[in-house]
Amino acid sequence: FQKELKPPQCTVEPQQSAATRLRIDPLLVHVHQFIVQLKLDHGLHCGVVRAVLTLQEVHQDLGLADSVFRDETEEAPQAVQKPVDKTNGHTLFSISVFPIQGAGQDVGRSCVLVSIGGKNIMMDCGMHMGYNDDRRFPDFSYITQNGRLTDFLDCVIISHFHLDHCGALPYMSEMVGYDGPIYMTHPTKAICPILLEDFRKITVDKKGETNFFTSQMIKDCMKKVIPLNLHQTVQVDDELEIKAYYAGHVLGAAMVHIKVGSESVVYTGDYNMTPDRHLGAAWIDKCRPDILISESTYATTIRDSKRCRERDFLKKVHESIERGGKVLIPVFALGRAQELCILLETFWERMNLKAPIYFSTGLTEKANHYYKLFITWTNQKIRKTFVQRNMFEFKHIKAFDRSYADNPGPMVVFATPGMLHAGQSLQIFKKWAGNDKNMVIMPGYCVQGTIGHKILNGQRKLEMEGRSTLDVKLQVEYMSFSAHADAKGIMQLIRMAEPRNMLLVHGEAAKMEFLKGKIEQEFSIDCYMPANGETTAVMTNPSVPVDISLNLLKREMVLGGPLPDPKKPRTMHGTLIMKENSLKLVSSEQALKELGLNEHQLRFTCRVQLQDPHSDSDTLHRIYTHLKSVLKDYTIQHLPDGTVMVESIVIKVSSSAEDANAKVLLLSWSYQVLPSEVAGGYVVEHRVQACIEDDERHGNSSGVVDGSPDGAVLDDLQALKKVQEVNHMVWQEAEQCDGQDGVDDPHSLLSCLGADHGNAFGCQRVAHHDDNGGHQGAKNQADYTVCGYTVAM
Amino acid sequence: YCLSGHPTLPCNVLKFKSTTIMLDCGLDTTSVLNFLPLPLVHSPRLSKLPGWISKDGSINLEKELKECAGRVFVDSQPEFCLPERELLDLSTIDVILISNYHCMMALPYITEHTGFTGTVYATEPTLQIGRRELVNFMERVPKAQSATCWKNKEIQRMLPGPLKDAVDVWTWKRCYSMQEVNSALSKVQLVGYSQKVELFGAVQVSPLSSGYSLGSSNWIIQSHHEKVSYVSGSSLLTTHPQPMDQSSLKNSDVLILTGLTQMPTANPDGMLGEFCSNLAMTIRAGGNVLVPCYSSGVIYDLLECLYQFIESANLGTTPFYFISPVANSSLEFSQIFAEWLCHNKQTKVYLPEPPFPHAELIQTNKLKHYPSIHGDFSSEFRQPCVVFTGHPSLRFGDVVHFMELWGKSSLNTVIFTEPDFSYLDALAPYQPLAMKCVYCPIDTRLNFHQVSKLLKEVQPLHVVCPEQYTQPPLTQSHRSDLMLELQPPPMPYKRCSVLNLPFRRRYERVYILPELANSLVPSEVKPGVSVATVSAVLQSKDNKHTLQSVPKAPPVAPSKKRKRVMEEPPVTMAPKPLLSGVVPLEAFLATLQKHGITEVKVEETADGHILHLQAEDTLIQLEEDGTHIVCDNNEPLRATLRDLVLRFLQKL
């Protein structure tokens, strides 16, 4: 569709009145700025015209402020809803966010679809841990409408390696079919396939499930991954730009800033605003995105200080060990596990404890190795000291073997996975559940439906597979060690990024509601919380980038002086040339030149007859000196070619052939947008008349020729009246012109008298001097003229 | 502005759109070759060298100058030739862009004691490795007495070459202190490849992978309409770092080209082979091998090459020693920069395995590293062995000790791999020398052939490079292939020259706020070309320009505070409207008629027509490029006529 629109003129059938053709004005040619396209389905595209900037005369009655275009297909486009603003054709832009099942008001998994500037980007591709059936994966047919995913998506970005953020990736790329780019950070790319493989083994090999991705699929999927560095700006295509920021949730977790043109979105994934023992805090610069999509797992929690939590944790572990109990800590292999390992390791060392700490096999060693190699992603302290001592080489923590679970005596076991839904942790849990000396510490959030969630909710009898029930006697403790941002952290991030809109996902509805209120109150920005499958469209209002000619800019800068004065904004004028896809702002002169147009001069001339016995040049000189004394604020020049210039008004004197005393004054001025010509012409004209008459009187003060004083007064009065008339007329005309030209500025009325293009500064000064604004100014001018007379008399 | 005469250790300053950007901060270290080596242990040989007395005996600088094998050396702490500091005020520099760690050795000289207040941008590996090199460099240079007498112009004139010809000896400076290094490096801000950094909103700089060393970068300095590329120390060879990003260099207005290979005739692969075979030969003959090198960079490639070579050459039992105060951290750090490595090494990290095989060499005890020859090393030292140590100039560092120790035996070999110093000059103070010398410089930077290919690829409008690249090297003046030949010819520069870059800025980006954009009324003047007159308030903030619509004058509210000065409404200038087009006679007459002006006498003139409106006694001259209305004292009529004429014209 975009290609179709590229030619400057485009004719499309509007929906409402099928008979009339609507011409899309070239301004719309700046296609990506003005038309947001949506690929809705295979072969069905839809672009919504957000802006109608020009309604040419013939088209005006159509009232088409927006219309939905379609190509050949006759199907109705899917629910593309947008506010209709028919009255003034506002430029509306939107970014829509579409959490695919589970990403909205739910913590189960993340999968958010963002449409921005015609690009569709999928953020995270998570799996729901609570389900064992098809509901586990996002329903992609929901967005593709049976089309190909590759056509629909421009890119997929994975924020970190947790399965609820990347678990469905092989399913999507290999089983549904997606061949476009997938972006993730280096550590994520390294670790994610291992977790996927691990999970696959549990589900397929142990539970014997079919219809699941294979090892090969994971490998193939990983081949489509493009690694992302922190702060690196990746150009996905010509318009789409992504940049990763440190998120501090787990090793390699990132927040992503997505930008298309002047619209942008930040997606946080999971993040953590407080540095912990091995990771730093999330950080983002003041990128002012249009939307900030934040997770809100701990939307209402403001957690007590970390140190307290750690002390609490250690105390509980210690007590349990003291009374000979076994402690099970279900964790994910990477992330919290390392944090807790470091914590326990230092505690054991300090307290000189002997009870063994085990880490469930498989991932452990490898995981720690990853931490060693990706040490640049950990926090400052670890990075600084790693040459001397690598924090991830543990002394007290050993690999776990299944047989150890039955060993007598106290022990601490870290086992995967973290929500007790499968694997080793579940096995150990079953073994230990019956003994009330034992303890299980859940260090993270548990998804609904998992055993972890059930026991945390106080359930004491669990139904297991095969109809057996399990009595839970051991102590269940919950310690929030998940590296998610709490309410305070979310607020902190908003402060950092300064978004224009806020969107909460990945949380529980009630808690999100609370946070939403808080955000709206504190930052007075709109906050959205879409439910699963609900689309949120956020209107953006981007500025239009235009190339300005440097000459014009420099001229303006010089006029404005070195320091901009906020009190006195200055206006600049230029011509915007719209040509193909470029917008250029140049000075009017340059525009003419560039467009190859001829300038058309429009001049007016007015003749004034008067009697003066002096020679032509003397008369002119006298006019000059007089004008100079009266019109102090204007540039008056006596040019060698026998003319006097008052600003841009030219005065010439010539005498008629018959009567040397009968002089004809030629006043000539060129056309101005605002009727300065009128004012200018007449004012000067009358001044000149007055001057001459005055002169005559002076010259003939001894002997009276023919001018009676009364006559002079009468003349003056008439002149005065005329000036007032003129001014009044000028005023009206200004109004009129405003209407015509769209130049809305009555205050320039007087300044236009001095509208000298060469010396705009002088003109500004002039206007300054006698103008107190608009109409009043015009009167002032009239008064001024009267003054001139009085003095003269 | 060029501040350094050394083409591979550049130091240039670019002034671009009101920003002053220093490109690299190279320190010309070749000056140290004029100094005597500084031994770590007292060397009887060096201390017995005769002092230098001029032939006529008039100048006696016995204490400062020593003679060895016919050459004169300064017996003092080595000093370095700094980038030029007089050419421009260094405190006005806004940012320094560092392309690789070799090119930041002069950083403390620039950032300290010059009033520099800007920021330094470098990638993380460049900073980490650079910090080590700086520390290494600094710690190796012991504090001894300094000699100044020889710098006297009169005396210098009398000295034999190359001391006589040394330039600006007065500006030569001693090494900086730890404190200065730390302070200089604290000004560094880290960047990642293709990260876009805004400088004062005026220009955007971003580093690109240059393929030369870990974290080495080329820089792009661009505004919305201009683009300057700075290429420094790039390599197209496949070694350990991420391959060079060439495509982003395209469409540059100006490309500044520095840091080409210093050994255009030596093929790195061939040199590597020679290195291995010489090494094996010496070891088999029972001799020791000394490899003077820097503590990072090429050594990783050497070790990787040796890793494969050791087994095949049966060197499994030979100890390899890497002696440097930063040896350990250099080897450790090299393993953690996965992001900055080439694809092969990255995939290793995913496994997860250390990307460089030297980890295995260390694990299997084949490679040992020590901070210095003192301590553990002296007790574990076994011969024959291979020693990697610095500094490659052979003037300071642990290498001096090994030169003194092994120099007398012809069994031993010293293999030079670093191209920065002429090996003959480096060896001069050790003459006479029995030890074998092998020179196999490995310089992976671009050679002339690769450069011309690259330039063809990226098509810059202009190329700026050091003058050394515009002519063949002095020693091989017939090799016209060892120079840059381009159309248009590259603009050469040398130390202290100031060039005006040949491009003119013509456009700048402004943003039209939506409110204003909506109010614009475009009209089509030609098919596909529309124009609209814009009158707006220009706001410039942080070098970003926005156009807002002209604010409406606020209604003058009766202010309660009397003292408050009434704010003046924004002053607007009327634009001079430009009209274009032609007034067609027939249509105009018809329009006149419509408005009740019927008595029109049309006269034809050379340029057009004169219309005489008889009833109104008004003349209208219609011409190709102008219309003149002569009308006396009839304002309403004039206005009508004006409006009628305007109907046919376009306003800009």
Side-chain angles (χ1 to χ4, degrees), chain A residues 370-442:
Chain A
Y370 278 119
Y371 274 83
K372 280 183 226 164
L373 291 176
F374 287 113
I375 221 131
T376 43
W377 287 81
T378 57
N379 67 20
Q380 204 72 32
K381 194 182 150 208
I382 295 186
R383 278 157 67 171
K384 265 197 179 147
T385 55
F386 90 100
V387 178
Q388 288 82 42
R389 179 165 186 256
N390 201 323
M391 283 293 250
F392 298 103
E393 280 160 12
F394 301 114
K395 271 188 231 153
H396 298 273
I397 302 170
K398 295 172 199 85
F400 181 75
D401 189 278
R402 199 175 300 178
S403 59
Y404 293 174
D406 301 321
N407 283 1
M411 65 171 86
V412 179
V413 175
F414 289 96
T416 53
M419 296 184 197
L420 284 180
H421 55 280
Q424 206 155 25
S425 60
L426 185 59
Q427 282 175 11
I428 300 172
F429 175 75
K430 282 185 200 162
K431 270 191 186 141
W432 293 358
N435 192 337
D436 60 1
K437 265 200 263 174
N438 296 344
M439 184 195 285
V440 60
I441 300 180
M442 306 296 297

Side-chain angles (χ1 to χ4, degrees), chain A residues 9 23 26 53-54 89-91 186 189-190 227 229 231-233 235 241 366 369-370 372-377 383 386-387 541-550 553 556-557 567 569-580 584-585 588-590 592 594-595 597-607 669 671-674 677-678 682 685 722 729 733 741 744-745 747-748 751 757 760 764 768, chain B residues 124 192-196 225 242 328-329 332-333 335-339 346 349-355 505-514 517-518 520 522 524-526 528-538 540 545 547 550 552-553 567-568 570-583 617 623-635 638-639 642 645-646 649 651-652:
Chain A
Q9 289 289 325
R23 218 165 47 123
L53 285 173
T54 330
H90 257 298
T91 326
H186 282 272
K189 188 183 173 187
N229 288 343
H231 301 168
Q232 178 189 14
T233 317
Q235 212 74 40
E241 200 176 275
K366 252 187 178 176
H369 208 116
Y370 278 119
K372 280 183 226 164
L373 291 176
F374 287 113
I375 221 131
T376 43
W377 287 81
R383 278 157 67 171
F386 90 100
V387 178
N541 213 357
S543 345
V544 183
V546 164
D547 297 339
I548 185 170
S549 129
L550 206 63
L553 184 68
E556 288 301 320
M557 303 286 262
K567 288 248 176 77
R570 56 193 188 280
T571 318
M572 65 175 293
H573 302 280
T575 302
L576 189 67
I577 305 180
M578 283 156 262
K579 206 173 180 178
E580 277 142 27
K584 272 196 289 188
L585 185 65
S588 309
E589 293 88 345
Q590 201 184 337
L592 274 183
E594 262 180 47
L595 296 169
L597 297 175
N598 285 331
E599 192 186 339
H600 193 100
Q601 298 273 359
L602 178 55
R603 290 195 72 78
F604 304 97
T605 302
C606 195
R607 281 172 296 187
W669 64 95
Y671 167 73
Q672 309 273 336
V673 160
L674 290 164
E677 6 124 14
V678 194
Y682 272 84
E685 185 183 329
K722 210 164 185 179
M729 199 163 62
E733 245 178 273
D741 303 340
D744 183 26
D745 191 27
H747 311 293
S748 53
S751 68
H757 353 287
Q764 195 177 350
H768 238 245
Chain B
E124 183 165 10
Y193 283 151
S194 48
Q195 177 179 352
K196 292 175 180 165
H225 299 281
Q242 220 180 69
N328 186 20
S329 67
E332 286 284 341
F333 264 106
Q335 307 285 21
I336 65 160
F337 291 123
E339 283 101 320
Q346 278 184 2
V349 175
Y350 294 151
L351 286 178
E353 272 172 27
R505 295 176 44 230
R506 297 183 52 203
Y507 286 102
E508 178 68 84
R509 180 59 56 99
V510 288
Y511 293 91
I512 296 185
L513 289 187
N518 283 338
L520 293 183
E524 194 172 21
V525 287
K526 284 180 187 177
V529 182
S530 296
V531 292
T533 315
V534 181
S535 292
V537 175
L538 178 72
S540 301
H545 312 289
L547 286 178
V550 180
K552 299 240 159 57
E567 279 181 27
E568 290 181 40
V571 174
T572 346
M573 301 166 261
K576 181 189 176 182
L578 286 182
L579 303 171
S580 70
V582 179
V583 181
D617 190 25
E623 280 165 26
E624 188 85 3
D625 56 353
T627 301
H628 196 162
I629 297 173
V630 183
C631 158
D632 296 342
N633 289 325
N634 190 347
E635 190 52 33
R638 197 186 61 80
R642 181 199 62 197
V645 170
L646 285 181
L649 298 174
K651 266 182 264 181
L652 281 188

Side-chain angles (χ1 to χ4, degrees), chain A residues 469-690:
Chain A
T469 50
L470 184 69
D471 285 324
V472 180
K473 287 186 185 142
L474 86 178
Q475 285 185 53
V476 178
E477 293 289 347
Y478 173 67
M479 305 240 74
S480 126
F481 273 100
S482 292
H484 288 277
D486 57 9
K488 214 166 87 192
I490 295 171
M491 302 300 251
Q492 211 176 329
L493 190 79
I494 299 175
R495 223 164 283 135
M496 261 184 184
E498 292 190 357
R500 296 196 187 89
N501 294 285
M502 185 72 197
L503 197 137
L504 297 174
V505 293
H506 206 273
E508 283 163 21
K511 292 181 179 177
M512 282 157 86
E513 195 67 54
F514 171 79
L515 187 64
K516 175 180 142 99
K518 238 185 126 184
I519 290 169
E520 283 176 344
Q521 180 194 344
E522 191 169 335
F523 299 100
S524 51
I525 53 174
D526 287 335
C527 183
Y528 305 86
M529 31 177 289
N532 291 346
E534 183 189 350
T535 305
T536 308
V538 178
M539 294 301 151
T540 58
N541 213 357
S543 345
V544 183
V546 164
D547 297 339
I548 185 170
S549 129
L550 206 63
N551 291 337
L552 182 63
L553 184 68
K554 275 200 177 144
R555 203 168 75 192
E556 288 301 320
M557 303 286 262
V558 169
L559 289 179
L563 288 170
D565 184 353
K567 288 248 176 77
K568 256 186 264 162
R570 56 193 188 280
T571 318
M572 65 175 293
H573 302 280
T575 302
L576 189 67
I577 305 180
M578 283 156 262
K579 206 173 180 178
E580 277 142 27
N581 261 345
S582 72
L583 290 171
K584 272 196 289 188
L585 185 65
V586 297
S587 59
S588 309
E589 293 88 345
Q590 201 184 337
L592 274 183
K593 227 193 264 169
E594 262 180 47
L595 296 169
L597 297 175
N598 285 331
E599 192 186 339
H600 193 100
Q601 298 273 359
L602 178 55
R603 290 195 72 78
F604 304 97
T605 302
C606 195
R607 281 172 296 187
V608 181
Q609 307 217 342
L610 47 88
Q611 295 284 322
D612 188 37
H614 304 277
S615 74
D616 288 1
S617 55
D618 275 358
T619 314
L620 194 67
H621 189 73
R622 290 172 62 170
I623 292 170
Y624 170 67
T625 28
H626 180 75
L627 283 177
K628 197 132 188 161
S629 66
V630 179
L631 301 171
K632 286 204 177 70
D633 291 325
Y634 301 87
T635 343
I636 301 170
Q637 285 172 294
H638 191 172
L639 297 175
D641 62 343
T643 53
V644 166
M645 300 259 308
V646 180
E647 300 293 345
S648 65
I649 301 160
V650 182
I651 305 170
K652 258 187 194 170
V653 180
S654 65
S655 43
S656 65
E658 305 98 54
D659 184 2
N661 283 349
K663 297 278 154 59
V664 179
L665 277 187
L666 285 173
L667 295 167
S668 175
W669 64 95
S670 65
Y671 167 73
Q672 309 273 336
V673 160
L674 290 164
S676 72
E677 6 124 14
V678 194
Y682 272 84
V683 170
V684 173
E685 185 183 329
H686 293 287
R687 287 279 167 77
V688 170
Q689 272 182 347

Side-chain angles (χ1 to χ4, degrees), chain B residues 379-441:
Chain B
S379 54
E380 292 172 24
F381 175 54
R382 272 189 305 126
Q383 285 179 321
C385 63
V386 180
V387 172
F388 296 90
T389 186
H391 183 270
S393 66
L394 306 189
R395 289 300 179 276
F396 47 89
D398 303 287
V399 71
V400 177
H401 175 76
F402 288 99
M403 282 306 292
E404 292 289 324
L405 188 70
W406 292 343
K408 291 162 214 110
S409 164
S410 61
L411 282 177
N412 303 328
T413 309
V414 55
I415 308 180
F416 292 89
T417 56
E418 300 290 347
D420 287 354
F421 301 95
S422 145
Y423 79 109
L424 288 175
D425 288 341
L427 287 172
Y430 299 96
Q431 299 295 355
L433 200 64
M435 184 181 205
K436 269 185 288 184
C437 301
V438 179
Y439 188 49
C440 32

Side-chain angles (χ1 to χ4, degrees), chain B residues 272-283:
Chain B
L272 210 54
E274 208 171 303
F275 168 78
C276 289
S277 63
N278 273 303
L279 185 139
M281 225 153 63
T282 311
I283 298 290

